[in-house]
Amino acid sequence: MGIDIAGAKRIGLVLSGGGIRGMAHIGLIKAMREFDMEASVIAGSSVGALVGALYANGNSERDMLEFFKQTPLFQYNFFAIRKPGFIDTERYFNLFKSYFPKNSFESLEKPLHVVATDLLEGREKAFSKGELIKPLLASAALTPVFSPVEIMGTLYADGGIMNNFPKEYVDTEADFIIGSNVSIAGVLEKKHLKNSFQLAGRVTGLMIYATNHKKINTCDLTIEPKELESIGVFDKKGIEKAYTIGYDAGSMAIEKELKMEKLK
């Protein structure tokens, strides 16, 4: 694109959904900081929205990892009662409030675009102003595990349903765009398609990837680590592994881009 990555005035960062694999986003952010690169604007969906919010909030990489380690996924008193979904997403509000006490997009250090899915109208919705926590909860409310989140009378769910890689929200606000995609759709062995849950997960993953891969390929720099395939979406034991994979992939990609810039 002819942009000097190290000297780019406005760097956009796009973070996909993908559950625990999204810890790779944090590894990428660590690599960026080591190269004195800071994003000017961020867009994220699902776990990408959560990582993006923590980054925009000025949290360190270790703080970000602790957020995900401390957040219970299947705590018995979080089970939904008289709500669709197994887990009541809004039970996480107070935990999020401890990280985002001012509960507003305006209190963040960087502009952030959070994508969620409007279940009633069947369209995507991008939040970037006003209340922060409910849009974050909605964006990460992966169905059918987590219940939808009600905002202004509308039910919202996982942003990845409609837009898992929301690059378009930073296109006009950045000179150089870095993308991190952790929703990998690589080759699968037959042993990993033995039940309905595995089948549903595979089909959903393929659909999500098919609708987003063109946007992914238009980023100026992208990481899409295939090693993440070994980590389950809800496997909290994989947090550190995914983080390391993202850091290694990010460092290599940035180093390669900087070398190419020197040759121009």
Side-chain angles (χ1 to χ4, degrees):
M1 301 291 287
I3 299 293
D4 176 5
I5 184 175
K9 293 181 180 178
R10 301 180 302 170
I11 295 176
L13 181 62
V14 186
L15 306 174
S16 80
I20 294 300
R21 295 174 182 177
M23 302 306 97
H25 299 325
I26 303 175
L28 169 62
I29 290 168
K30 175 178 172 62
M32 288 173 59
R33 284 173 167 168
E34 288 184 354
F35 282 92
D36 294 321
M37 294 167 57
E38 289 287 344
S40 300
V41 59
I42 308 149
S45 190
S46 197
V47 69
L50 301 184
V51 173
L54 291 165
Y55 176 43
N57 196 46
N59 292 93
S60 68
E61 296 86 29
R62 277 293 139 192
D63 282 344
M64 296 183 206
L65 289 173
E66 280 305 309
F67 172 85
F68 290 99
K69 287 178 180 179
Q70 292 175 10
T71 301
L73 287 178
F74 302 109
Q75 191 162 304
Y76 74 93
N77 59 335
F78 280 20
F79 287 160
I81 300 174
R82 292 187 292 277
K83 278 187 177 183
F86 301 114
I87 305 296
D88 185 348
T89 307
E90 295 193 41
R91 290 291 185 95
Y92 291 91
F93 187 92
N94 288 336
L95 190 150
F96 278 51
K97 190 75 183 291
S98 67
Y99 277 80
F100 306 105
K102 294 184 179 179
N103 189 21
S104 72
F105 281 89
E106 289 77 12
S107 68
L108 300 175
E109 297 176 3
K110 304 173 187 291
L112 172 69
H113 300 275
V114 170
V115 174
T117 298
D118 180 336
L119 292 176
L120 303 185
E121 293 193 9
R123 63 181 179 86
E124 71 180 79
K125 167 71 174 177
F127 296 88
S128 59
K129 298 177 181 178
E131 183 181 5
L132 173 66
I133 295 176
K134 280 199 171 184
L136 288 178
L137 289 172
S139 184
L142 180 65
T143 56
V145 178
F146 296 96
S147 66
V149 176
E150 184 172 340
I151 302 174
M152 301 292 290
T154 296
L155 294 177
Y156 292 95
D158 194 287
I161 298 170
M162 300 298 290
N163 190 349
N164 199 50
F165 194 78
K167 175 178 177 285
E168 54 269 48
Y169 295 101
V170 304
D171 276 337
T172 61
E173 299 180 35
D175 306 306
F176 191 97
I177 297 176
I178 299 174
S180 179
N181 177 45
V182 299
S183 290
I184 311 300
V187 177
L188 206 63
E189 296 180 25
K190 284 195 293 184
K191 65 181 180 180
H192 296 303
L193 288 175
K194 288 186 175 180
N195 59 55
S196 299
F197 291 107
Q198 291 174 333
L199 179 62
R202 176 60 169 172
V203 171
T204 301
L206 289 172
M207 288 191 296
I208 286 174
Y209 188 79
T211 58
N212 290 282
H213 78 276
K214 288 183 180 179
K215 287 192 290 181
I216 294 166
N217 292 334
T218 61
C219 289
D220 298 289
L221 185 151
T222 307
I223 70 162
E224 202 172 24
K226 302 301 181 186
E227 299 90 338
L228 292 172
E229 291 178 355
S230 64
I231 300 173
V233 173
F234 295 115
D235 182 12
K236 291 188 72 171
K237 293 180 181 178
I239 286 178
E240 289 287 345
K241 182 178 179 181
Y243 167 68
T244 300
I245 289 172
Y247 172 72
D248 291 342
S251 298
M252 289 177 61
I254 294 170
E255 285 178 1
K256 182 179 178 181
E257 184 67 22
L258 290 174
K259 286 179 181 178
M260 290 176 64
E261 289 289 346
K262 288 180 179 180
L263 295 174
K264 291 180 180 179

